[in-house]
């Protein structure tokens, strides 16, 4: 061993890595579960067009001007996703509602060249 090198000591057995359960496929929240998520995360549904991108209680996504641009849903892990109009699979996902709205806004502005 060269001078200045430290020697590692074994401290015993290594703990096995925990086995993770298989990832459950997302399931859309509906009915009371979706209403509870709206209350919990402050998603407006009384006057839904107050933000540049608005997630409405019927699952639609509209701009402040009222233009319908797609659908949104939350999975069983409270992770929101967005599918543009005409698409059936989520196109954008985010861990939080606010981040999803910002991502949708960026996508929309890039796609249309219009600032919201």
């Amino acid at each position: 061993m060269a001078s200045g090198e430290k020697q590692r000591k074994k401290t015993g057995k290594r703990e096995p890595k925990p086995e993770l359960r298989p990832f459950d496929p997302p399931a859309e929240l509906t009915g009371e579960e979706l209403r509870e998520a709206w209350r919990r995360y402050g998603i407006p549904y009384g006057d839904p067009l107050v933000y540049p991108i608005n997630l409405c209680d019927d699952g639609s996504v509209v701009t402040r001007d009222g233009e319908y641009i797609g659908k949104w849903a939350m999975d069983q892990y409270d992770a929101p996703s967005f599918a543009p109009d005409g698409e059936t699979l989520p196109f954008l996902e985010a861990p939080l509602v606010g981040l999803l709205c910002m991502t949708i806004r960026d996508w929309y502005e890039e796609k249309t060249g219009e600032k919201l």
Side-chain angles (χ1 to χ4, degrees):
M1 175 185 304
S3 66
E5 287 186 32
K6 293 184 179 181
Q7 185 176 5
R8 290 185 155 193
K9 292 182 182 179
K10 292 191 177 191
T11 58
K13 289 185 178 180
R14 276 192 171 166
E15 290 186 29
K17 288 184 179 180
E19 286 197 28
L20 301 175
R21 293 181 333 139
F23 184 72
D24 294 326
E28 289 187 18
L29 299 179
T30 57
E32 185 55 39
E33 293 172 322
L34 190 52
R35 282 188 286 282
E36 175 59 27
W38 290 324
R39 282 192 292 274
R40 198 172 345 148
Y41 295 108
I43 301 166
Y45 58 96
D47 183 18
L49 304 180
V50 295
Y51 301 110
I53 296 295
N54 299 274
L55 306 181
C56 301
D57 60 350
D58 65 354
S60 61
V61 178
V62 296
T63 66
R64 183 180 296 153
D65 298 329
E67 179 186 356
Y68 172 81
I69 60 174
K71 289 281 207 182
W72 77 281
M74 290 185 98
D75 67 16
Q76 74 266 31
Y77 305 108
D78 288 346
S81 61
F82 165 75
D85 188 22
E87 299 292 325
T88 56
L89 297 174
F91 176 68
L92 301 172
E93 297 174 330
L96 303 169
V97 170
L99 292 175
L100 179 66
C101 291
M102 290 168 41
T103 305
I104 294 170
R105 182 180 183 174
D106 292 343
W107 166 81
Y108 179 84
E109 289 178 346
E110 184 177 316
K111 177 183 168 210
T112 63
E114 176 185 331
K115 290 285 184 197
L116 294 176

